[in-house]
Amino acid sequence: MPEHGDLRDRFHGGVDQLRNDIARLGASVIELIPRVTEILLQQDLEGAEYVLQGDDEIDARSIQIEERALTMLALQAPMAGDLRQVAAVLKLAPEIERSADLCCNLCKAARRIYGHSLDPKLRGGIQRMSDQAHQEYKEAIEAYLANDAVRAAALRDMDDYLDDLHRQFIAQIFESHAAGTIDLQVAVQLAVVARFFERLGDHAVNISHRVIYISTGWLPQHDAAKRLLDRQDDAATVGDQGGS
Amino acid sequence: MAPLLAIVGAVLGFVAGWMFCRSRPTLAEGSLVPAAQPAQPVPSFADVLEDHPAGVVVCDASGAVRFRNAAARSLRGTHAGVLIDEAIERHLSEARRGIFSDEAIELYGPPKTVVMVEARPLPDGGAVGFVHDISEQRRVEQVRTDFVANLSHELKTPIGALSVLAETLEEETDPVTITRVVGRMMGEAERASRTIDDLMQLSRIELGGERGVEAVRVADVIRSAVGRVTEIAARRDIHISSLGSASVEQADDSIIVEGDRRQLVSAVGNLVENAVKYSEEGGLVEVRADRDGDWLEVAVVDQGVGIPQRDLRRIFERFYRVDPARSRGTGGTGLGLSIVHHVATNHGGEVTVSSVEGEGSTFTLRLPLLATTPVDPLTDQTPTEYTNRHVDRHIEGVA
């Protein structure tokens, strides 16, 4: 019969392993972002194929992590901080898996615009969005690794910048299309590409929220819920006064 | 017989005893308890490994990591560290099963790096893993293969054209066509000779010979460099502002470097020429000279097509072209930036670039200043200790 200490060590070892696996999954997405951008800008169809095939592995790893986290919840019933760690894993695994899917979508977009050249301003815009999304993702995952809520809190501001870049890029698509350097089909594809980068940034922000949640138990949704409750209270008070 | 054996035995015994006595201090040294020289402790094996530039990770037979040196710990907390750790773990477990395994991992960075992860089994059932950065090695290999391919291409294209044009000429009788073909032949010959001239200039700079060392006013360098491209710039309505920060004119007398005037003009000239070539019509090219402590910074800024990120690290290589079709059209030899790079290195400085496609590029040439106070270049006064050191080094380099 194992001692209590042993059980606790084994449980914490398990949590560490889960965290480690999430970090690894996240790190592979950090690497994917610049890679798929290069594939897109170089129109590297072979590279695109390779990334698309590699997605199965990310899916498999993600589901394994989720299952292990569920098992841990069921068998060990962790509490407080430990519970939040395991619950965060359940949220983070699909978040990262979805980000990898966005990278795959970028590869598919690369296939669709194959053979069409992009003018330097569009290429520069794509590179800038990619750099920003990459930076955000890196920051979010490294904040998770360090359990650093302060670092994670910076993600929102970083993402505002990505949103600006997204808007500028959309304006550039209109400009390039008007100047005739790209046709409508490519213009639409590029708008979708911009959206993928913007979504990658959003996923990074979601990850950062979970990092804050692990340390503080707070999520931005809590504020929204409180606002809703306040409004309902106000309405009830006004209703009562009207009735009286 | 017996006395003889006794003597042999005694001799052997003596020798063995002497060796035993001799071997004791050696063992003591080996076991890192130096008795003779306490002032200089011999580092332990772990200490040596700790400071080794390659990452070293040792695990025991159960797979638990027992040792990790400084290099292997340095990436902790970063995503690169996470990915490399994952690879080490995988290879260590292979090695524990007795399989030698290795893998090159490409990390997009930035900066882009390639690391080699390998693992070897240890006699006690554990394993040792090594991580080395092989980015530079990979880059050099790539440069070497590309250089030969590009050189042959750069020389073969005009020569092939010459031979075809000569063939055309052989049967041609129409004087108009002959004039046209001869004109083109001259153009191709000129192109080949430009490439060879640049290559020779590059090799001269690389060897470091024939280099005059004198005090040079930076403002003069910029003026001559800009003068070389005014005509091309005017034709394409590109404005070159070399006085943007006003510092070039105002502070010109105090910004002095020492080096070879011709090489410096050639370096700045190449940068300005590139800026003009890759700018759109009506664009603006700025040349700024500023002081940064003991350094001079000449920045050449354009608002042209820019350079893709993946090419930024390679553009100073000989014959490296971002977009072969486009840049050959501009009439360059593909050696300009290489020349700039070597001039900078020769003068104890460096050249760097930053760029965003579609927004323009900034090339910065950093050179050590001769003096931070105004100096009359003719009398060569006030050589500080700092500049002396540089002059000495350059003279050594020339010798």
Side-chain angles (χ1 to χ4, degrees):
Chain A
M1 180 99 188
E3 298 282 322
H4 278 308
D6 269 4
L7 279 176
R8 214 172 22 241
D9 284 352
R10 212 179 302 157
F11 168 72
H12 281 130
V15 174
D16 284 349
Q17 189 58 46
L18 275 179
R19 281 180 56 79
N20 206 4
D21 287 345
I22 286 287
R24 285 175 180 181
L25 205 58
S28 41
V29 172
I30 297 175
E31 280 296 303
L32 264 183
I33 297 172
R35 188 161 148 202
V36 297
T37 307
E38 198 173 302
I39 286 170
L40 185 68
L41 291 175
Q42 301 304 318
Q43 309 209 336
D44 173 8
L45 292 188
E46 200 185 325
E49 210 49 52
Y50 199 69
V51 170
L52 288 169
Q53 277 175 18
D55 189 49
D56 286 348
E57 192 195 325
I58 292 187
D59 288 357
R61 277 163 63 187
S62 154
I63 201 76
Q64 268 172 15
I65 296 173
E66 267 189 74
E67 280 166 2
R68 284 203 344 255
L70 279 174
T71 312
M72 192 170 273
L73 280 183
L75 298 183
Q76 322 248 17
M79 302 283 283
D82 290 337
L83 175 59
R84 288 203 296 273
Q85 285 284 8
V86 181
V89 166
L90 282 174
K91 288 283 187 181
L92 288 172
E95 201 79 57
I96 297 172
E97 186 268 322
R98 183 74 199 114
S99 309
D101 287 348
L102 285 171
C103 291
C104 289
N105 291 349
L106 281 165
C107 286
K108 288 178 191 158
R111 289 203 294 215
R112 280 185 224 113
I113 59 171
Y114 183 74
H116 296 272
S117 65
L118 306 179
D119 63 63
K121 288 216 161 100
L122 289 171
R123 298 170 61 88
I126 292 175
Q127 187 69 56
R128 268 189 188 284
M129 287 189 296
S130 158
D131 287 351
Q132 185 62 20
H134 176 244
Q135 199 57 41
E136 280 181 33
Y137 225 95
K138 197 164 140 55
E139 200 57 26
I141 294 295
E142 290 184 2
Y144 176 72
L145 261 176
N147 250 332
D148 188 342
V150 177
R151 215 171 148 184
L155 255 288
R156 271 194 147 177
D157 289 339
M158 288 177 84
D159 198 48
D160 285 347
Y161 181 55
L162 182 56
D163 291 345
D164 283 347
L165 289 175
H166 176 245
R167 273 191 290 277
Q168 285 165 22
F169 186 73
I170 297 293
Q172 184 59 47
I173 294 176
F174 284 131
E175 210 173 286
S176 294
H177 183 244
T181 65
I182 49 168
D183 61 22
L184 186 61
Q185 218 181 342
V186 175
V188 172
Q189 284 305 329
L190 288 180
V192 174
V193 161
R195 179 89 183 131
F196 292 152
F197 282 118
E198 195 256 333
R199 287 299 302 156
L200 275 170
D202 292 346
H203 283 295
V205 173
N206 289 348
I207 293 171
S208 77
H209 286 161
R210 288 292 152 186
V211 175
I212 299 171
Y213 170 77
I214 291 169
S215 327
T216 65
W218 175 87
L219 279 172
Q221 286 87 327
H222 285 131
D223 281 359
K226 188 171 178 302
R227 280 195 302 274
L228 180 68
L229 207 65
D230 287 350
R231 271 203 301 275
Q232 284 169 347
D233 281 353
D234 287 350
T237 324
V238 171
D240 286 349
Q241 281 167 357
S244 63
Chain B
M1 198 67 194
L4 187 65
L5 275 177
I7 293 169
V8 170
V11 169
L12 276 177
F14 176 73
V15 168
W18 178 74
M19 280 177 72
F20 179 66
C21 291
R22 286 274 310 168
S23 69
R24 289 185 83 166
T26 321
L27 267 179
E29 274 162 27
S31 65
L32 311 179
V33 200
Q37 288 170 311
Q40 278 184 319
V42 181
S44 72
F45 188 53
D47 286 344
V48 173
L49 278 185
E50 174 71 12
D51 298 336
H52 199 271
V56 181
V57 181
V58 181
C59 73
D60 62 18
S62 74
V65 172
R66 290 285 168 200
F67 174 80
R68 204 182 268 274
N69 75 347
R73 290 193 307 264
S74 65
L75 285 169
R76 278 225 162 141
T78 67
H79 87 279
V82 169
L83 290 172
I84 292 174
D85 264 3
E86 185 180 9
I88 294 177
E89 206 174 275
R90 199 168 55 238
H91 289 284
L92 282 177
S93 85
E94 291 272 294
R96 280 193 292 122
R97 290 191 281 125
I99 305 163
F100 287 62
S101 69
D102 57 20
E103 180 187 13
I105 304 173
E106 260 185 56
L107 295 168
Y108 272 76
K112 217 170 183 176
T113 42
V114 187
V115 291
M116 179 63 99
V117 177
E118 46 190 325
R120 300 279 177 272
L122 289 175
D124 66 350
V128 54
F130 303 97
V131 187
H132 355 233
D133 187 338
I134 56 165
S135 324
E136 188 54 23
Q137 187 189 331
R138 281 281 173 99
R139 195 185 68 83
V140 170
E141 279 165 17
Q142 182 79 42
V143 169
R144 199 180 303 134
T145 46
D146 286 0
F147 173 67
V148 177
N150 288 334
L151 175 63
S152 354
H153 181 86
E154 294 292 334
L155 290 178
K156 215 173 148 44
T157 315
I159 289 168
L162 273 177
S163 118
V164 173
L165 289 167
E167 248 172 59
T168 321
L169 215 53
E170 201 176 18
E171 317 234 312
E172 192 54 62
T173 49
D174 175 26
V176 180
T177 317
I178 290 175
T179 320
R180 192 165 47 88
V181 171
V182 167
R184 285 196 54 196
M185 285 178 80
M186 280 158 75
E188 292 297 340
E190 204 180 299
R191 183 169 154 193
S193 105
R194 247 194 340 253
T195 304
I196 292 165
D197 282 350
D198 274 5
L199 262 180
M200 284 170 69
Q201 192 193 348
L202 191 60
S203 94
R204 267 202 305 274
I205 295 171
E206 253 186 313
L207 288 173
E210 288 181 37
R211 200 163 70 83
V213 178
E214 54 177 327
V216 186
R217 272 201 184 88
V218 172
D220 295 345
V221 171
I222 293 179
R223 219 171 287 131
S224 326
V226 171
R228 288 197 343 192
V229 293
T230 5
E231 204 187 311
I232 322 172
R235 226 182 296 149
R236 300 190 46 220
D237 192 24
I238 290 165
H239 183 61
I240 304 179
S241 132
S242 57
L243 312 168
S245 59
S247 58
V248 176
E249 278 301 304
Q250 277 168 13
D252 59 351
D253 285 338
S254 65
I255 304 189
I256 293 170
V257 294
E258 53 96 15
D260 183 316
R261 183 186 301 269
R262 238 185 32 211
Q263 285 190 12
L264 290 172
V265 170
S266 152
V268 179
N270 272 319
L271 291 180
V272 180
E273 195 180 324
N274 271 349
V276 169
K277 273 186 199 159
Y278 292 103
S279 281
E280 281 163 23
E281 250 174 57
L284 175 72
V285 172
E286 249 187 286
V287 187
R288 287 197 298 256
D290 280 306
R291 249 199 227 146
D292 177 18
D294 289 332
W295 291 84
L296 157 75
E297 280 192 359
V298 179
V300 180
V301 186
D302 69 59
Q303 302 165 344
V305 291
I307 303 157
Q309 205 173 52
R310 73 189 291 261
D311 299 304
L312 277 177
R313 280 167 60 111
R314 301 199 58 193
I315 51 170
F316 294 107
E317 287 169 21
R318 283 166 244 202
F319 295 122
Y320 188 81
R321 293 180 187 275
V322 172
D323 175 358
R326 185 184 175 114
S327 42
R328 287 202 180 94
T330 61
T333 57
L335 290 170
L337 287 177
S338 230
I339 291 175
V340 179
H341 173 74
H342 277 101
V343 170
T345 322
N346 253 5
H347 285 78
E350 57 171 0
V351 58
T352 53
V353 59
S354 68
S355 178
V356 175
E357 272 199 281
E359 291 178 23
S361 313
T362 301
F363 284 87
T364 311
L365 184 62
R366 266 169 74 84
L367 298 169
L369 279 174
L370 177 60
T372 49
T373 48
V375 179
D376 184 353
L378 295 175
T379 57
D380 198 18
Q381 278 174 340
T382 63
T384 59
E385 196 189 325
Y386 175 78
T387 50
N388 262 333
R389 192 152 48 83
H390 273 266
V391 173
D392 285 351
R393 204 177 71 215
H394 286 308
I395 291 168
E396 274 169 28
V398 172

